[in-house]
Amino acid sequence: MKYLLALIGLVMCCNADVLAQSDRPNIVIILCDDLGYADVGFNGAKDIVTPQLDRLAAAGTVFTSAYVAHPFCGPSRMGLMSGRYPHAFGAPFNLPNAGLGIESYNRQGIDQSETLISTVLQDAGYATAAIGKWHMGIEKPFHPNHRGFDDFYGFLGGGHKYFPADYQGVYERQTRSGKPSINDYVSPLQRNGEDVKETEYMTDALSREAARFVKQASASERPFFLYLAYNAPHSPLEAKDEDLALFENITDVKRRTYAAMVYAVDRGVGKLVDTLTETNAIDNTLIVFFSDNGGKLGLGADNGPLREGKGSTFEGGYRVPMFFHWPDNVPSGVRFDHPVTALDFYPTFAGLAHAKIPDGKQLDGKDIWQNVVAGSNPRAGETIFAMRHRDGFSDVGIRHDQWKACRAYNAPWKLFDLASDIGETRDLSAKYPDMLRQMVAEAERWSHEQPTPKWFDNLKAENKWKTSGMPHFDQTFRVQGD
Ligand code: CA
């Protein structure tokens, strides 16, 4: 009997080892910040060149209807990490930059009751790293090292300057001069809570750190999870001369700088892929590339053919460029047109990792893996929401099969058929009033589950919320004619 138990133990042990080495992929998220839908070669960019991204996209699956949880940074990232709409835990606004006089909000962050996907993977034995922009809270309970990441390199705020000469020492000098609160964009970079002296252009530094982590992690038997969150091409528009030189044909200086910033990301992705290849990790690594929201119009981005951009509940605000790459596992050379959302990543990654999702954890997305492999629709007849609160009213986007309902800028609800009108130009609300009412009613039911925001990104937004009796969803979800 003793020998039998030992044998069973040996078999179980070996199975666990096999699982660790081959059955569970490494997972790499490469997130861009404010990257436009049309600003990568694989989505049709002509003036911006992204050879490394295009090569991966061509060998993988490109998602043409990929949504994020919110049309701007912080809430989108909190949705990704928590697997829930950010509204559900009071986070539909960005955490404010430091220096705006709302310090109590600077001390907030992604809700402590939410177990993040990083923690789920860490608990399942993954080595985990967050590199780049965080924007989910700067205080200790919200710091990446306390939210499932073994390794953190980057900055905690919502944006940053790119050249070390422009921020190195600035924070210290201003603090010494007695300035009470310093803009996040000049804060020192940090490694696991300790300030560091960086010497490279930001995008190159983050790529270097990603490669460093992959080298370290792939030397162990454990699978790894890398969250590489470039702040490029988010403002400030700052590019290296060598990258700018490649785009002299672009006459608009903002577009030229933006193009050079995207190219630096592409170069970094190439470096990361080289490292994954050298370490023999590439064949067992799922790479997911996307943007946290649409490109910002007026700052060099192009979301064509989608309407509007960052911040909007039209498609350009929160439908983003995206691909999956994993040799022999993700279909190669395929375009996937069914709607998916970044909220799906949490359950999908947990499934691939054979990781346990905590009992009672609320999730708004679903495990889409089998659908991705089969090319089938993961949510026929189901709905994806976006809701952005503005000063005294709310914008809402509702995606349901090929239909899109949108209410923006306090104007009446509109209905579009995205299958024939991806640019949301022909309002069909008068032609299909019942479809519109049904979609709006579903969004209204969803909205009433959402609590009051825990913070606001500026004082004006907070005052307006209070003085105008927000959220007054009765007005938001009233369909014209009713
Ligand atoms: Ca963003």
Side-chain angles (χ1 to χ4, degrees):
M1 187 65 186
K2 194 166 65 178
Y3 295 111
L4 183 61
L5 284 174
L7 186 63
I8 290 170
L10 187 65
V11 169
M12 287 176 71
C13 166
C14 290
N15 279 345
D17 281 347
V18 169
L19 204 63
Q21 285 169 27
S22 62
D23 282 3
R24 307 198 300 169
N26 308 306
I27 298 169
V28 173
I29 291 179
I30 304 172
L31 186 65
C32 277
D33 196 353
D34 295 8
L35 177 66
Y37 190 77
D39 291 331
V40 280
F42 69 83
N43 261 12
K46 294 283 185 282
D47 53 351
I48 299 177
V49 292
T50 53
Q52 303 293 342
L53 291 168
D54 296 352
R55 193 160 56 83
L56 292 172
T61 293
V62 173
F63 295 78
T64 60
S65 292
Y67 294 90
V68 288
H70 202 75
F72 53 74
C73 306
S76 171
R77 288 151 197 265
M78 292 191 189
L80 164 67
M81 283 292 158
S82 68
R84 301 183 77 188
Y85 287 108
H87 317 71
F89 44 88
F93 288 94
N94 276 328
L95 288 162
N97 286 333
L100 296 179
I102 30 184
E103 304 306 312
S104 63
Y105 292 154
N106 292 135
R107 292 194 288 274
Q108 299 271 8
I110 187 164
D111 201 287
Q112 287 176 265
S113 66
E114 293 295 326
T115 304
L116 308 189
I117 183 61
S118 40
T119 298
V120 168
L121 295 175
Q122 188 180 49
D123 287 349
Y126 274 62
T128 56
I131 292 168
K133 165 171 160 175
W134 182 242
H135 210 192
M136 288 182 263
I138 61 173
E139 294 290 317
K140 195 170 180 181
F142 314 114
H143 189 281
N145 289 140
H146 289 266
R147 301 308 288 266
F149 288 104
D150 309 327
D151 193 324
F152 173 65
Y153 187 92
F155 56 92
L156 298 171
H160 209 280
K161 295 188 73 65
Y162 288 80
F163 289 103
D166 294 337
Y167 64 83
Q168 208 79 64
V170 171
Y171 197 85
E172 293 84 341
R173 285 198 296 278
Q174 292 193 357
T175 304
R176 273 200 299 274
S177 72
K179 200 169 177 191
S181 188
I182 314 296
N183 191 295
D184 305 340
Y185 282 49
V186 294
S187 66
L189 301 196
Q190 63 160 265
R191 186 188 303 285
N192 300 325
E194 298 292 327
D195 292 354
V196 295
K197 189 171 177 1
E198 180 54 64
T199 57
E200 290 193 87
Y201 176 71
M202 178 70 80
T203 302
D204 293 341
L206 300 181
S207 303
R208 177 199 72 219
E209 291 296 319
R212 187 262 312 156
F213 170 74
V214 165
K215 268 186 201 151
Q216 287 174 351
S218 58
S220 108
E221 296 291 296
R222 298 161 63 196
F224 58 82
F225 172 52
L226 168 61
Y227 173 60
L228 173 56
Y230 287 111
N231 55 316
H234 190 290
S235 62
L237 294 177
E238 296 172 349
K240 294 171 81 172
D241 287 342
E242 66 182 73
D243 294 330
L244 285 165
L246 297 172
F247 298 98
E248 284 176 341
N249 56 321
I250 301 178
T251 52
D252 180 89
V253 70
K254 286 182 181 169
R255 178 72 175 169
R256 186 193 310 149
T257 310
Y258 176 98
M261 293 167 80
V262 174
Y263 185 78
V265 168
D266 190 76
R267 176 176 59 240
V269 171
K271 183 183 173 91
L272 176 61
V273 170
D274 286 348
T275 307
L276 288 164
T277 305
E278 288 158 14
T279 56
N280 294 318
I282 189 79
D283 288 342
N284 197 33
T285 299
L286 168 65
I287 299 174
V288 176
F289 174 89
F290 68 114
S291 176
D292 72 332
N293 51 253
K296 187 159 184 171
L297 301 177
L299 281 182
D302 179 0
N303 300 305
L306 308 182
R307 181 167 172 176
E308 299 200 345
K310 177 179 183 178
S312 173
T313 52
F314 287 106
E315 295 287 280
Y318 66 111
R319 179 166 166 171
V320 296
M322 185 169 94
F323 68 74
F324 280 13
H325 178 276
W326 181 9
D328 299 326
N329 285 275
V330 164
S332 174
V334 169
R335 293 181 86 81
F336 188 96
D337 293 326
H338 306 296
V340 298
T341 159
L343 298 170
D344 296 332
F345 294 161
Y346 191 121
T348 302
F349 294 171
L352 290 170
H354 307 292
K356 180 170 167 44
I357 295 172
D359 293 336
K361 173 77 177 88
Q362 299 278 316
L363 291 170
D364 289 327
K366 62 206 304 185
D367 185 342
I368 59 171
W369 188 253
Q370 294 307 321
N371 300 99
V372 171
V373 171
S376 59
N377 190 349
R379 51 171 52 79
E382 298 176 12
T383 306
I384 295 171
F385 304 110
M387 179 165 66
R388 185 250 167 104
H389 303 305
R390 292 186 185 269
D391 290 347
F393 61 93
S394 301
D395 290 356
V396 181
I398 312 169
R399 173 75 195 259
H400 183 94
D401 296 333
Q402 83 270 33
W403 300 101
K404 169 73 183 291
C406 186
R407 184 184 191 278
Y409 315 115
N410 247 346
W413 280 94
K414 293 180 171 62
L415 181 70
F416 305 101
D417 180 354
L418 295 178
S420 60
D421 180 24
I422 194 175
E424 298 174 284
T425 60
R426 295 187 295 279
D427 176 22
L428 302 175
S429 60
K431 191 173 178 185
Y432 301 103
D434 292 342
M435 172 58 70
L436 177 63
R437 277 197 192 85
Q438 186 185 316
M439 291 170 70
V440 172
E442 189 183 353
E444 181 171 22
R445 285 193 293 277
W446 169 75
S447 75
H448 282 297
E449 298 167 8
Q450 315 310 331
T452 300
K454 282 189 175 171
W455 62 78
F456 297 84
D457 49 13
N458 62 76
L459 283 172
K460 185 179 164 214
E462 179 175 22
N463 291 336
K464 195 74 184 175
W465 184 280
K466 289 173 178 165
T467 57
S468 61
M470 283 288 277
H472 46 67
F473 286 141
D474 53 329
Q475 292 175 33
T476 302
F477 296 101
R478 185 183 302 142
V479 177
Q480 56 271 25
D482 284 353

Short mmCIF file of all heavy atoms in Angstrom, two decimals, residues 32-34 72-73 77 133 234 292-294 310, ligand 1:
data_model
loop_
_atom_site.label_atom_id
_atom_site.label_comp_id
_atom_site.label_asym_id
_atom_site.label_seq_id
_atom_site.Cartn_x
_atom_site.Cartn_y
_atom_site.Cartn_z
N CYS A 32 -0.84 49.24 -25.52
CA CYS A 32 -0.46 50.61 -25.88
C CYS A 32 -1.45 51.57 -25.24
O CYS A 32 -2.52 51.18 -24.79
CB CYS A 32 -0.45 50.78 -27.40
SG CYS A 32 1.09 50.21 -28.15
N ASP A 33 -1.08 52.83 -25.22
CA ASP A 33 -1.90 53.85 -24.57
C ASP A 33 -2.38 54.84 -25.63
O ASP A 33 -1.57 55.54 -26.24
CB ASP A 33 -1.04 54.55 -23.50
CG ASP A 33 -1.87 55.33 -22.51
OD1 ASP A 33 -3.10 55.45 -22.70
OD2 ASP A 33 -1.28 55.83 -21.53
N ASP A 34 -3.69 54.88 -25.85
CA ASP A 34 -4.28 55.82 -26.81
C ASP A 34 -3.84 55.53 -28.25
O ASP A 34 -3.71 56.46 -29.06
CB ASP A 34 -3.93 57.29 -26.48
CG ASP A 34 -4.50 57.77 -25.17
OD1 ASP A 34 -5.05 56.95 -24.41
OD2 ASP A 34 -4.38 58.99 -24.90
N PHE A 72 -11.49 55.66 -21.77
CA PHE A 72 -10.20 56.26 -21.40
C PHE A 72 -9.48 55.42 -20.34
O PHE A 72 -10.02 54.46 -19.80
CB PHE A 72 -10.30 57.75 -21.03
CG PHE A 72 -11.32 58.10 -19.98
CD1 PHE A 72 -11.11 57.80 -18.65
CD2 PHE A 72 -12.48 58.78 -20.34
CE1 PHE A 72 -12.03 58.17 -17.68
CE2 PHE A 72 -13.42 59.15 -19.38
CZ PHE A 72 -13.20 58.84 -18.05
N CYS A 73 -8.25 55.90 -20.03
CA CYS A 73 -7.17 55.08 -19.45
C CYS A 73 -7.49 54.28 -18.18
O CYS A 73 -7.53 53.06 -18.18
CB CYS A 73 -5.99 55.96 -19.14
SG CYS A 73 -5.37 56.94 -20.50
N ARG A 77 -8.15 50.16 -17.73
CA ARG A 77 -7.15 49.25 -17.14
C ARG A 77 -7.71 48.52 -15.93
O ARG A 77 -7.43 47.35 -15.70
CB ARG A 77 -5.91 50.06 -16.75
CG ARG A 77 -5.12 50.50 -17.96
CD ARG A 77 -4.36 51.79 -17.73
NE ARG A 77 -3.98 52.34 -19.03
CZ ARG A 77 -2.80 52.14 -19.62
NH1 ARG A 77 -1.86 51.46 -18.99
NH2 ARG A 77 -2.55 52.63 -20.80
N LYS A 133 3.17 51.78 -17.41
CA LYS A 133 2.18 52.65 -16.75
C LYS A 133 1.22 51.82 -15.91
O LYS A 133 0.72 50.80 -16.36
CB LYS A 133 1.43 53.42 -17.83
CG LYS A 133 0.14 54.11 -17.38
CD LYS A 133 -0.38 55.02 -18.47
CE LYS A 133 -1.86 55.33 -18.29
NZ LYS A 133 -2.35 56.30 -19.28
N HIS A 234 0.68 57.82 -25.97
CA HIS A 234 -0.01 58.86 -25.18
C HIS A 234 0.88 60.11 -25.11
O HIS A 234 2.10 60.00 -25.11
CB HIS A 234 -0.24 58.29 -23.78
CG HIS A 234 -1.13 59.10 -22.89
ND1 HIS A 234 -0.75 60.32 -22.38
CD2 HIS A 234 -2.37 58.86 -22.41
CE1 HIS A 234 -1.73 60.80 -21.61
NE2 HIS A 234 -2.73 59.92 -21.61
N ASP A 292 -5.48 50.63 -24.76
CA ASP A 292 -6.42 50.79 -23.63
C ASP A 292 -7.66 51.59 -23.99
O ASP A 292 -8.65 51.57 -23.27
CB ASP A 292 -5.71 51.42 -22.42
CG ASP A 292 -5.37 52.90 -22.63
OD1 ASP A 292 -5.19 53.32 -23.79
OD2 ASP A 292 -5.30 53.63 -21.63
N ASN A 293 -7.60 52.33 -25.10
CA ASN A 293 -8.76 53.07 -25.61
C ASN A 293 -8.38 53.58 -26.99
O ASN A 293 -7.26 53.38 -27.46
CB ASN A 293 -9.16 54.22 -24.67
CG ASN A 293 -8.03 55.14 -24.28
OD1 ASN A 293 -7.56 55.11 -23.15
ND2 ASN A 293 -7.55 55.93 -25.22
N GLY A 294 -9.33 54.29 -27.64
CA GLY A 294 -9.07 54.78 -28.98
C GLY A 294 -8.03 55.88 -29.00
O GLY A 294 -7.65 56.44 -27.96
N LYS A 310 -10.71 58.75 -28.56
CA LYS A 310 -10.59 58.60 -27.10
C LYS A 310 -11.67 59.40 -26.36
O LYS A 310 -11.90 60.56 -26.66
CB LYS A 310 -9.21 59.08 -26.65
CG LYS A 310 -9.01 59.05 -25.15
CD LYS A 310 -7.62 59.51 -24.76
CE LYS A 310 -7.41 59.40 -23.25
NZ LYS A 310 -6.05 59.80 -22.84
CA CA B 1 -5.30 55.65 -22.65
#
